[in-house]
């Protein structure tokens, strides 16, 4: 991994140009697009074509683009209920038990996060909380299976009270999704599942087709085409966030365990060659030890080539002067995951402002967050933790303020409304307030 020293050099490497980078398109991707579409299109041009086609032609366009891009299309876009029920028997008992255990912790966490509304009858105001009518979850299906993402998207929606949760996931060769993914969907309470991936899945959920119902919000991670499609349809449908490759910042000091730091870094690196594993430390010796551990452990990983590309091209070890500088750098980077593996970690927690999720101590490692800790693992990436939160029950509800003033309170504040209305030149506003005064 690349080692940099000093706050300014680390800031330059990690934070300059920070963002989703949707306009940075490698030549290989453009070549692939040209091979499929016969034209030198940008990813956004591809997505615009797909979204407009699905919006106009529904299932026919979904099938056309799925066959063009994936080479095959399933006989039925929707997974039969019988296949979902059978999936549990086709999945090992060990995996089913793990999914159920994870689901229970995820459910309990999100139940504790519920906002149930409130009313202050004396002040005359409050708010009510209502779930959206339907939600669509996009579940990636690229180089790895993600039954965990099914739990992490559908369970918060169901806990929030969403009546209908729809799921779209790409499949290979027109086959059904993997049984573990279907078993997770049954455990999570997903209502309908469709064998659709990419931008066509986002468009189908955003606008509806003959088969796919239109939803109120779309959630979940995906590749550049999924992300661009979510960006394009936002406003016609709710969007949880735009996500890039996964990323983790581990903050360590002289007392941190280099082996634990290294395995946590590699756990993120094996996701994607574009994943960003970062160590920020106040200890030169820790920096060197972690670098050596990462190098030594790469050879034993099944996805070692991916992890090597991630650690060498995207990874970084930053050695800074003290913990204040370490936290400052982490806040500016605004990571998806922040791991505090330092002494007195709780004392530093209050300084953290920008992070999707925070993991404290050696035993609250981020891999548990991926699967079973409780919070959803769908978290803001690419610095969007500066303004966005991870997926949760709050993502699936709408909050409506309620104003129910007594006659006395209304009389007391109507003069304020009248003055402000006339100050803004809105005399009808002012008169609507003043006429109430005449009733007292």
């Amino acid at each position: 991994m690349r080692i940099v020293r000093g706050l300014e050099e680390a800031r330059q490497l990690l934070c300059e140009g920070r963002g989703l980078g949707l306009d940075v398109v490698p030549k290989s991707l453009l070549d692939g697009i040209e091979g499929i579409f016969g034209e030198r299109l940008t990813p956004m041009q591809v997505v615009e074509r797909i979204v407009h086609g699905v919006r106009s032609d529904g299932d026919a366009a979904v099938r056309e683009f799925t066959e063009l891009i994936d080479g095959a299309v399933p006989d039925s876009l929707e997974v039969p209920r019988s296949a979902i029920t059978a999936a549990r028997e086709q999945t090992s008992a060990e995996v089913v038990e793990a999914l159920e255990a994870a689901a229970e912790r995820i459910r309990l966490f999100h139940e504790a996060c519920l906002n149930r509304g409130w009313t202050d009858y004396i002040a005359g105001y409050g708010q009510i909380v209502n779930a959206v009518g339907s939600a669509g979850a996009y579940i990636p299906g690229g180089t790895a299976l993600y039954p965990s993402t099914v739990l992490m998207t559908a369970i918060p929606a169901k806990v929030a009270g969403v009546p209908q949760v729809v799921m779209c996931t790409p499949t290979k060769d027109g086959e059904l999704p993997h049984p573990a993914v279907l078993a997770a969907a049954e455990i999570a309470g997903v209502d309908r599942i469709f064998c659709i991936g990419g931008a066509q899945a986002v468009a189908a959920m955003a606008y509806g087709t003959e088969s796919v119902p239109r939803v109120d919000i779309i959630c979940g991670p995906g590749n550049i085409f999924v992300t661009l499609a979510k960006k394009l349809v936002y406003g016609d449908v709710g969007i949880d966030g735009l996500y890039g490759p996964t990323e983790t910042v581990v903050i360590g000091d002289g007392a941190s365990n280099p082996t634990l730091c290294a395995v946590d870094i590699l756990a993120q690196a094996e996701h994607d060659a574009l994943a960003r594993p970062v160590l920020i430390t106040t200890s030169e010796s820790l920096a060197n030890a972690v670098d050596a551990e990462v190098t030594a452990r790469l050879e034993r990983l099944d996805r070692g080539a991916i992890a090597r590309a991630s650690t060498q091209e995207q990874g970084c070890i930053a050695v800074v002067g003290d913990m204040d500088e370490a936290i400052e750098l982490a806040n500016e980077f605004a990571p998806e995951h922040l791991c505090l593996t330092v002494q007195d970690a709780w004392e530093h927690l209050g300084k953290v402002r920008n992070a999707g999720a925070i993991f404290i101590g050696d035993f609250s490692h981020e891999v548990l967050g991926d699967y079973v800790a409780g919070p959803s693992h769908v978290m803001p990436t690419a610095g969007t933790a500066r303004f966005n939160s991870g997926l949760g029950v709050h993502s699936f509800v709408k909050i409506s303020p309620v104003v129910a003033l007594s006659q006395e309170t209304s009389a007391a504040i109507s003069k304020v409304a009248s003055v402000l209305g006339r100050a803004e030149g809105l005399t009808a506003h002012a008169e609507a307030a003043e006429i109430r005064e005449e009733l007292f």
Side-chain angles (χ1 to χ4, degrees):
M1 295 178 69
R2 180 176 178 180
I3 300 178
V4 297
R5 295 170 177 84
L7 179 60
E8 291 309 315
E9 185 178 356
R11 177 182 283 128
Q12 182 177 5
L13 177 63
L14 291 174
C15 302
E16 287 189 5
R18 178 97 164 113
L20 286 166
L22 297 175
D23 55 345
V24 179
V25 184
K27 181 178 179 297
S28 59
L29 184 58
L30 294 174
D31 291 342
I33 291 171
E34 187 172 10
I36 292 172
F37 288 87
E39 301 178 60
R40 197 74 171 173
L41 302 174
T42 67
M44 179 54 88
Q45 288 172 322
V46 169
V47 167
E48 288 174 342
R49 181 174 296 187
I50 292 172
V51 169
H52 294 156
V54 173
R55 188 173 189 179
S56 299
D57 300 325
D59 283 352
V62 169
R63 290 181 172 278
E64 176 188 348
F65 287 116
T66 298
E67 186 166 13
L68 180 64
I69 296 168
D70 298 334
V73 61
D75 293 334
S76 173
L77 295 179
E78 185 166 5
V79 178
R81 177 52 56 179
S82 59
I84 299 172
T85 304
R88 183 184 286 262
E89 299 300 322
Q90 298 164 359
T91 305
S92 74
E94 183 181 37
V95 171
V96 171
E97 289 174 8
L99 289 170
E100 289 176 335
E104 179 65 10
R105 281 194 62 95
I106 295 165
R107 189 173 291 110
L108 288 172
F109 174 85
H110 290 285
E111 285 175 351
C113 295
L114 279 170
N115 184 339
R116 304 182 189 278
W118 58 273
T119 302
D120 185 328
Y121 292 101
I122 295 175
Y125 48 45
Q127 64 181 26
I128 58 172
V129 180
N130 289 302
V132 299
S134 57
Y138 185 87
I139 309 301
T143 60
L145 294 173
Y146 295 105
S148 58
T149 302
V150 178
L151 304 182
M152 297 290 184
T153 52
I155 291 176
K158 282 299 184 180
V159 170
V162 179
Q164 178 170 252
V165 175
V166 170
M167 179 180 118
C168 284
T169 187
T171 60
K172 295 180 180 179
D173 302 322
E175 299 177 352
L176 291 174
H178 192 279
V181 172
L182 296 180
E186 184 189 38
I187 290 168
V190 174
D191 296 287
R192 300 178 69 181
I193 305 172
F194 296 89
C195 303
I196 310 172
Q200 58 269 36
V202 174
M205 291 188 286
Y207 300 111
T209 72
E210 296 88 337
S211 298
V212 184
R214 180 176 182 174
V215 301
D216 296 318
I217 183 171
I218 297 172
C219 65
N223 63 18
I224 186 173
F225 299 100
V226 171
T227 302
L228 286 171
K230 289 172 74 176
K231 186 175 184 179
L232 187 62
V233 302
Y234 175 68
D236 293 328
V237 65
I239 295 296
D240 59 333
L242 304 179
Y243 307 113
T246 190
E247 56 198 29
T248 286
V249 167
V250 177
I251 297 182
D253 58 17
S256 299
N257 185 314
T259 299
L260 297 183
C261 291
V263 295
D264 289 350
I265 283 170
L266 289 171
Q268 289 307 294
E270 73 173 350
H271 272 293
D272 188 334
L274 296 178
R276 297 198 73 177
V278 176
L279 171 68
I280 303 174
T281 180
T282 57
S283 167
E284 184 77 33
S285 62
L286 181 70
N288 293 325
V290 170
D291 186 39
E293 282 270 6
V294 167
T295 301
R297 290 176 174 276
L298 279 169
E299 300 302 325
R300 70 184 72 182
L301 301 178
D302 292 342
R303 293 167 65 90
I306 293 172
R308 183 180 300 278
S310 168
T311 54
Q312 291 183 352
E313 300 298 324
Q314 308 297 329
C316 169
I317 298 175
V319 183
V320 296
D322 54 36
M323 279 301 300
D324 285 340
E325 287 189 354
I327 298 292
E328 179 184 348
L329 181 60
N331 278 328
E332 191 167 343
F333 186 74
E336 178 185 14
H337 310 112
L338 178 64
C339 306
L340 296 177
T341 64
V342 297
Q343 287 183 315
D344 303 319
W346 286 100
E347 293 183 10
H348 300 288
L349 179 61
K351 304 173 189 175
V352 176
R353 300 189 311 275
N354 302 325
I358 304 165
F359 300 85
I360 296 177
D362 289 342
F363 298 100
S364 300
H365 55 97
E366 195 278 318
V367 165
L368 294 181
D370 281 344
Y371 296 114
V372 67
S376 175
H377 70 202
V378 180
M379 291 286 170
T381 66
T384 59
R386 293 178 295 109
F387 54 81
N388 200 15
S389 304
L391 191 72
V393 288
H394 59 273
S395 306
F396 301 99
V397 300
K398 308 157 295 173
I399 297 175
S400 301
V402 176
V403 179
L405 302 172
S406 67
Q407 188 174 0
E408 292 75 19
T409 301
S410 177
I413 65 175
S414 286
K415 181 62 175 178
V416 174
S418 171
V419 170
L420 293 176
R422 291 192 180 279
E424 293 181 350
L426 301 175
T427 53
H429 279 64
E431 289 179 358
E434 291 163 358
I435 199 170
R436 263 73 177 185
E437 295 182 57
E438 298 174 8
L439 300 178
F440 294 101

